[in-house]
Amino acid sequence: MKNSYLLAILSGLLLALAWPTYGVPLLAFIGFVPLLLAEKHIRESNYKRKGTKVFFTAYLAFIIWNSITTWWIWYSTPFGMFFALAVNSLLMTIVFSLYHFVAKRLPAKIHLIFLPAIWMAFEKFHLNWDFSWPWLNLGNAFSQYTTWIQWYEYTGTFGGALWIWIINIGVFTTIVKYQESKNRRILSKGIARNVLLIAIPIIFSLFLLKNYEESSQKAAITLLQPNIDPYSQKYDISNLQMAKSLVKLAEPVVTSNTNYVIAPETALAKGSSIDAFDNATEKMVLQNFVSQYPNMQFITGVDFYRHYPQKEKPTITANFYGQNGWFDFYNAAVQVGKNNISEKYIKSKLVVGVENFPFKNVLEPLLGDVMLDLGGTVAMRATQKDRSVFFSNDKVFAAAPIICYESIYGEFVTGYVKNGANFLAIITNDAWWDNTQGHKQHLSYARLRAIETRKSVARSANTGISAFINEKGEVTKTLAYNAKGSLSGEVTINNKETFYVKYGDYIARLSVLFAGMILLYAIARKKQ
């Protein structure tokens, strides 16, 4: 068993060292191999309670991987970090234990198909349930090496996950065959085959990159980075003061040709009535600024609320504040133009524990109003069903107002594009995690959305890294972490839909089908 634990430690380290933004993604192609060897050793041994041994071996590997890559949650809350690491590692371990269950009952040709299928089914599930945390979905591993994955416009990140699993299983079977035969020819042929399987997608990607032509139509954009400390400053500044500060940041750099000024998530953080915002003084300040320029729109994040005076709970997301009644809170984006009515979008992918009470109907009666503080304002927030798009007055430009955490969800982002968005406007606040890998990974994942949709990205961050990213996923301009200022540039306007935009996570859906069929077959075979 000691050897199995050593192999698990090696797997955890390899997967962690493959991760952006410091890692080498080639290691992801062999990251699972030691763990697979450990599982095979346990399965074919005379140990009692093999399933328990596989469980703890896998948990060791996954807790190492999770800890090294996402330890930075500590800066928002130590408890939240321990909870996230423990639960995400547990979920991965359950998936691997299901593989062990199937491997005991079915031949290798079947159970080695089941493994990538059940893993990708898990990743798809992890994108959509209440405890969603897809930060370590395998396809994200290549976010710093976008020259390798231009074909994500056809597959999305699940294409990357499938690629990683094909190579891991190929290397694993090569090692097993060599151990059984001691034939070096088998080893050399296996290595050559797997090197070729790594090289072919990269060559295809380079071909796509060389021949890809970006749209010639462009929008001029200024990004604002106010660099407000969310722990000590943000909620002490009135919305009127903040609006004036944003205008002051923008004034020296905007021109008559500027199409958009974009400010970060919850830049106006003091709380504003969603029903009265268009008459608020902070909105008037922004509108007066916009009216001085012929083509300008102003996008910013706003912390909204809606008040319900009645005694009964009006919505499932409402929060109760004693004599003041019920409130719904919204993390929103608004577009202020020359029209008196601003466009609004309400964030719909919420951070677990901060903005979303998971399984509220079930857990609230048992636990009361308990939230896990993973950084930010702890309150249940409301969402909207569809993705809104912010159009310019002439309808030429259409911004996808993606708010923070939403930018790590590939198929979710395609919803904006299907509704007409021709560039991605990401507004975020990455200050919660200090100057760690957290905010760097968050920026890096935005590069994947650019390739999947072939849409340029304009990313405004408060104390993060504001950036422009082109349709190829290349970062063209940045404003450094912890810097206050503005960043002006251009983004291309692309109205075409990629294969991935049209069909989404089809690889994951097929994986769910295959995994379910194989699992049922394994259960039925056990009964026989």
Side-chain angles (χ1 to χ4, degrees):
M1 278 302 295
K2 288 183 179 179
N3 289 336
S4 296
Y5 287 136
L6 288 174
L7 288 169
I9 291 169
L10 179 58
S11 265
L13 292 174
L14 287 171
L15 290 167
L17 294 174
W19 218 250
T21 58
Y22 53 81
V24 180
L26 278 173
L27 297 177
F29 292 123
I30 58 171
F32 289 98
V33 173
L35 186 58
L36 288 170
L37 291 170
E39 187 278 332
K40 183 176 184 295
H41 168 70
I42 295 170
R43 174 165 33 96
E44 295 179 351
S45 70
N46 295 321
Y47 295 129
K48 295 180 180 179
R49 303 177 68 183
K50 295 178 184 179
T52 302
K53 289 179 171 62
V54 167
F55 181 92
F56 284 110
T57 302
Y59 194 84
L60 177 61
F62 296 137
I63 195 69
I64 291 171
W65 177 21
N66 278 264
S67 298
I68 293 175
T69 50
T70 56
W71 64 271
W72 38 264
I73 300 173
W74 172 276
Y75 282 97
S76 55
T77 167
F79 173 76
M81 182 203 72
F82 287 119
F83 182 86
L85 298 184
V87 172
N88 205 49
S89 301
L90 176 62
L91 293 172
M92 291 177 171
T93 302
I94 291 171
V95 172
F96 196 78
S97 294
L98 281 174
Y99 161 68
H100 171 68
F101 171 84
V102 171
K104 290 190 298 182
R105 290 157 178 79
L106 300 178
K109 288 183 179 180
I110 299 179
H111 71 240
L112 289 177
I113 292 174
F114 176 76
L115 177 55
I118 191 63
W119 190 275
M120 288 187 287
F122 153 68
E123 289 192 345
K124 180 62 177 174
F125 171 73
H126 219 6
L127 286 166
N128 293 292
W129 74 315
D130 279 11
F131 276 107
S132 178
W133 177 244
W135 207 268
L136 297 185
N137 279 13
L138 290 177
N140 294 340
F142 304 106
S143 64
Q144 288 292 100
Y145 288 71
T146 54
T147 54
W148 295 11
I149 53 165
Q150 293 296 306
W151 38 268
Y152 271 23
E153 68 168 290
Y154 298 102
T155 68
T157 57
F158 282 100
L162 181 59
W163 190 25
I164 287 172
W165 274 117
I166 288 172
I167 306 304
N168 271 278
I169 291 171
V171 173
F172 167 69
T173 54
T174 296
I175 292 173
V176 169
K177 289 177 180 177
Y178 174 71
Q179 288 176 337
E180 292 172 350
S181 67
K182 303 299 180 184
N183 187 335
R184 291 188 178 181
R185 189 176 178 183
I186 290 176
L187 183 63
S188 59
K189 285 178 68 176
I191 292 172
R193 186 187 306 113
N194 286 293
V195 169
L196 192 61
L197 289 172
I198 293 173
I200 289 174
I202 294 175
I203 293 169
F204 179 55
S205 178
L206 293 172
F207 172 79
L208 290 174
L209 184 64
K210 183 178 179 180
N211 291 279
Y212 185 78
E213 293 184 8
E214 293 187 90
S215 172
S216 58
Q217 190 175 20
K218 296 181 179 180
I221 295 177
T222 292
L223 306 175
L224 304 182
Q225 187 165 297
N227 197 36
I228 303 297
D229 188 329
Y231 290 108
S232 62
Q233 291 179 285
K234 185 174 180 178
Y235 300 100
D236 295 329
I237 302 173
S238 72
N239 285 347
L240 179 59
Q241 287 176 298
M242 194 64 207
K244 291 178 179 179
S245 178
L246 294 175
V247 169
K248 188 176 180 180
L249 268 181
E251 278 179 330
V253 292
V254 298
T255 70
S256 59
N257 295 320
T258 302
N259 300 112
Y260 285 91
V261 175
I262 304 177
E265 177 190 19
T266 58
L268 306 180
K270 283 297 284 185
S272 180
S273 170
I274 193 169
D275 300 311
F277 177 74
D278 286 315
N279 296 317
T281 52
E282 59 266 28
K283 190 259 187 178
M284 298 303 174
V285 167
L286 298 179
Q287 190 168 20
N288 289 338
F289 172 62
V290 167
S291 65
Q292 300 173 42
Y293 300 89
N295 305 308
M296 185 185 292
Q297 310 285 331
F298 198 113
I299 296 175
T300 186
V302 185
D303 201 352
F304 279 137
Y305 68 84
R306 176 173 281 126
H307 179 226
Y308 307 97
Q310 65 262 38
K311 294 181 179 180
E312 297 79 16
K313 188 171 185 177
T315 66
I316 191 172
T317 56
N319 300 266
F320 184 61
Y321 286 88
Q323 294 180 349
N324 293 320
W326 295 91
F327 290 82
D328 260 328
F329 296 106
Y330 311 92
N331 186 345
V334 299
Q335 177 174 276
V336 177
K338 294 177 176 59
N339 297 328
N340 290 329
I341 305 300
S342 59
E343 296 186 64
K344 301 177 182 69
Y345 166 69
I346 297 168
K347 184 180 180 183
S348 300
K349 280 291 186 182
L350 303 177
V351 180
V352 178
V354 182
E355 301 171 317
N356 177 36
F357 193 146
F359 304 109
K360 187 177 178 69
N361 285 340
V362 176
L363 295 181
E364 188 175 34
L366 298 175
L367 303 177
D369 193 14
V370 176
M371 299 285 275
L372 301 174
D373 184 2
L374 298 181
T377 303
V378 180
M380 185 71 182
R381 292 180 180 264
T383 62
Q384 71 176 58
K385 183 178 179 180
D386 299 316
R387 309 286 74 74
S388 298
V389 176
F390 292 167
F391 291 91
S392 59
N393 291 330
D394 56 9
K395 305 297 183 182
V396 172
F397 306 124
I402 302 167
I403 303 176
C404 190
Y405 192 54
E406 294 181 330
S407 65
I408 66 173
Y409 292 85
E411 190 174 62
F412 179 88
V413 169
T414 68
Y416 295 100
V417 179
K418 289 177 179 178
N419 287 340
N422 51 31
F423 77 95
L424 309 183
I426 298 175
I427 61 173
T428 186
N429 179 16
D430 294 343
W432 307 110
W433 311 313
D434 211 332
N435 192 7
T436 64
Q437 285 298 316
H439 75 86
K440 296 173 186 176
Q441 290 168 355
H442 197 197
L443 168 64
S444 189
Y445 294 167
R447 303 173 69 179
L448 304 176
R449 307 292 84 81
I451 297 171
E452 289 170 343
T453 62
R454 291 302 187 189
K455 300 290 181 286
S456 293
V457 176
R459 184 180 194 267
S460 172
N462 173 48
T463 320
I465 302 176
S466 296
F468 289 100
I469 304 170
N470 66 20
E471 295 176 25
K472 303 172 187 176
E474 299 165 337
V475 178
T476 57
K477 277 187 176 183
T478 61
L479 185 59
Y481 180 88
N482 207 30
K484 181 178 181 178
S486 58
L487 185 70
S488 294
E490 293 181 323
V491 299
T492 55
I493 300 303
N494 183 4
N495 290 297
K496 296 178 181 179
E497 290 188 1
T498 64
F499 187 91
Y500 178 70
V501 168
K502 292 178 181 178
Y503 299 103
D505 294 332
Y506 62 93
I507 293 176
R509 293 185 180 92
L510 289 172
S511 296
V512 172
L513 178 63
F514 282 123
M517 291 172 61
I518 294 172
L519 183 59
L520 289 173
Y521 176 55
I523 293 170
R525 183 162 181 168
K526 179 186 178 184
K527 289 181 179 179
Q528 292 173 356

